[in-house]
Amino acid sequence: LKRPKGQAAHLRHRMASEDDSAAFAARFEQLVVNRDGHGLHVLLRPVGERCKRPRDEERQPTQRPTDTTAGMLLLARNAVAREARLEALLGALRSWCTRYLEWRDGPDDWMVLPLLRLEAGPRLLANQLDRKAGSGRIRKKLVEAFREHFQRLHRDGRKRAGALVMCCGLLRLYFGLGQANQCSFLLAAVSKQAQRGGEQRLGLEQLPKALAVSLCFLWGKHCVLDGKVAEAEERLGWALANCPATSTVHRQQILAYLVPCRLRFGRPVARATMHRHGLENCYAGLAASVTRGDVRGFSHELQSHEAELISVGTYLVVEKLKLLALRNLCRAVHSQQCAQAEQAGHANNQHKQDLTPYERAFRWQDDCDADETICILAHLIYIGAIRGYLSDEHRKVVFSKDLPFPDPATWCPKA
């Protein structure tokens, strides 16, 4: 008797799926034997949605693989319910972490790249489940599992690379859950371990490039949110310099935080770079206003992009750029006053200038009255943006003859 056409097609699909699972398990086990981390990294790439099957057809693999991690991955591949798939993916991650910790048969560097994939799998699936449910319940559960793996790996100083993989996963989860305050404890533990090992730096060059760039980006992002602009600029700069030119999306994410940091130090990113990564609309106007000392234009640009900057988390850093715009406005007034003094034959006293031109400029650009102008100038002097002092009795501002407007990198770090 002939099978119905639909039943025959379904049987062929089922047999093909079983063959695919068997091939995957065999390939996985062979790559483990060969210690081919790159091959495992490629094998574990995310795949598209598979053909939907009724729940009653959810099944175990026909032949259980001898490798525990491969077996858990096959359970995840064959699971219909996403919750079951998440549990299987967590099982695969747990199994690989245990293998990694117990590995004593030679170097273990090859195990780090597969760990990157195994960490990303449950995290991305948890994001999907929480987005669908409109909550953070699954990700909070995942934080507990990831924290346990991080602590296990972190205790063994020889497994530092694996601990950093889990650290990056936790940082991403914390950012997604709006718990950035938890990142400080995690990063402090990583820093202390590096110091105990006698290292001044994290040894980023010895890590897989994907891990090192991710770590620097996430660490730099936390520094931006924490107001540590100098440290953020250093870490984000390293991440950008080592991120492949073809990774446009990743470079855009790095630049979204690096651009305001570079602006704070008076080193704006090239407009062509911002245009190439889709950031020109947000930052080009802000950068131009700051450079010109156009305080009114800066305030307008900041208000226009307020929602976007708040969503990214860079609003507070960008808002502080107003101090740089005010400093550049003062420098423009200072240059004009110096030129006028030189024309009048008072070049020796050009560092002693009347407050009136500054009051006019601040009233024009920021609607400030005389008292507010004095306060702003005093604050700029306090944070190191201007070298000099105010003489209220003579209504003068006396600038340093040597370097009246120091480089922004030398200002007070919290400015």
Side-chain angles (χ1 to χ4, degrees):
L1 294 176
K2 292 185 178 180
R3 297 180 185 274
K5 187 174 181 180
Q7 186 177 353
H10 174 72
L11 181 61
R12 286 195 301 272
H13 169 73
R14 182 167 181 169
M15 292 174 64
S17 178
E18 291 173 358
D19 291 342
D20 180 58
S21 297
F24 172 84
R27 179 64 176 159
F28 184 94
E29 292 174 6
Q30 185 60 48
L31 290 170
V32 170
V33 171
N34 295 341
R35 303 179 186 180
D36 186 355
H38 179 73
L40 286 167
H41 189 259
V42 173
L43 180 68
L44 297 175
R45 281 182 302 185
V47 294
E49 288 293 326
R50 300 178 184 277
C51 298
K52 302 293 183 182
R53 297 187 299 274
R55 279 188 186 273
D56 58 1
E57 289 191 21
E58 186 170 329
R59 63 189 187 283
Q60 305 287 336
T62 52
Q63 294 182 347
R64 183 80 176 183
T66 56
D67 189 285
T68 306
T69 307
M72 299 305 296
L73 289 171
L74 285 183
L75 284 176
R77 287 161 66 98
N78 291 314
V80 173
R82 289 189 171 185
E83 292 78 5
R85 190 184 310 168
L86 179 63
E87 289 300 323
L89 288 173
L90 283 173
L93 175 61
R94 188 182 309 109
S95 170
W96 191 260
C97 285
T98 301
R99 185 202 299 258
Y100 181 50
L101 276 168
E102 296 175 351
W103 184 265
R104 296 292 183 269
D105 188 16
D108 56 12
D109 297 348
W110 66 274
M111 305 183 76
V112 178
L113 281 176
L115 184 58
L116 282 168
R117 292 287 194 205
L118 293 169
E119 174 274 323
R123 176 171 49 78
L124 295 176
L125 183 55
N127 287 339
Q128 294 176 11
L129 292 171
D130 275 352
R131 193 181 304 117
K132 184 177 181 180
S135 70
R137 183 180 62 85
I138 304 296
R139 282 175 294 172
K140 288 178 181 177
K141 176 183 176 183
L142 206 63
V143 163
E144 298 303 319
F146 277 27
R147 189 183 293 156
E148 177 186 350
H149 296 320
F150 170 76
Q151 290 171 348
R152 290 170 61 204
L153 296 169
H154 182 68
R155 280 194 291 267
D156 189 339
R158 296 167 296 181
K159 308 299 179 180
R160 187 174 69 93
L164 292 177
V165 172
M166 300 312 303
C167 174
C168 289
L170 279 168
L171 289 173
R172 287 189 170 98
L173 288 170
Y174 285 142
F175 287 138
L177 290 167
Q179 299 177 355
N181 59 316
Q182 297 295 322
C183 299
S184 300
F185 307 104
L186 191 63
L187 295 173
V190 172
S191 297
K192 286 180 182 177
Q193 187 186 57
Q195 291 170 2
R196 283 199 302 269
E199 301 177 21
Q200 296 299 320
R201 296 181 178 271
L202 291 169
L204 298 172
E205 292 75 13
Q206 284 73 49
L207 299 174
K209 190 71 73 177
L211 173 58
V213 171
S214 296
L215 178 64
C216 277
F217 164 67
L218 294 167
W219 203 323
K221 178 179 177 179
H222 170 68
C223 290
V224 169
L225 299 177
D226 208 29
K228 301 175 181 176
V229 183
E231 186 178 355
E233 196 274 337
E234 179 184 356
R235 299 200 181 282
L236 292 168
W238 193 96
L240 183 67
N242 290 274
C243 184
T246 54
S247 300
T248 308
V249 174
H250 296 142
R251 292 178 70 85
Q252 180 183 8
Q253 292 174 345
I254 295 169
L255 281 166
Y257 293 92
L258 181 59
V259 168
C261 294
R262 289 271 170 90
L263 278 173
R264 161 62 182 79
F265 294 115
R267 301 195 301 272
V269 175
R271 187 165 188 143
T273 302
M274 289 191 280
H275 175 74
R276 189 162 56 249
H277 293 91
L279 298 170
E280 184 179 20
N281 180 54
C282 182
Y283 287 111
L286 288 166
S289 299
V290 168
T291 303
R292 292 194 307 264
D294 182 2
V295 181
R296 192 174 295 278
F298 172 82
S299 299
H300 174 73
E301 290 286 338
L302 182 64
Q303 186 176 5
S304 299
H305 300 288
E306 180 179 359
E308 182 179 353
L309 294 171
I310 289 174
S311 67
V312 175
T314 57
Y315 180 82
L316 293 178
V317 175
V318 174
E319 186 183 35
K320 288 185 177 182
L321 294 176
K322 184 175 182 179
L323 291 172
L324 184 56
L326 288 165
R327 174 259 198 184
N328 288 339
L329 175 61
C330 288
R331 187 168 62 174
V333 176
H334 175 270
S335 298
Q336 186 182 50
Q337 292 299 104
C338 286
Q340 291 178 1
E342 192 169 350
Q343 289 177 0
H346 302 303
N348 291 335
N349 292 322
Q350 64 182 6
H351 63 290
K352 299 178 181 179
Q353 300 184 2
D354 290 334
L355 282 170
T356 304
Y358 294 91
E359 291 172 352
R360 289 173 181 168
F362 279 47
R363 183 168 59 250
W364 166 50
Q365 284 289 308
D366 205 28
D367 300 322
C368 296
D369 59 26
D371 290 337
E372 289 172 334
T373 300
I374 292 292
C375 289
I376 292 173
L377 289 172
H379 184 66
L380 292 173
I381 292 171
Y382 173 74
I383 65 174
I386 295 175
R387 284 183 182 171
Y389 64 90
L390 296 171
S391 175
D392 188 51
E393 181 182 356
H394 299 94
R395 287 190 48 78
K396 296 279 188 181
V397 53
V398 183
F399 291 93
S400 168
K401 291 182 179 181
D402 183 25
L403 189 63
F405 297 95
D407 188 277
T410 64
W411 297 5
C412 174
K414 286 291 185 181

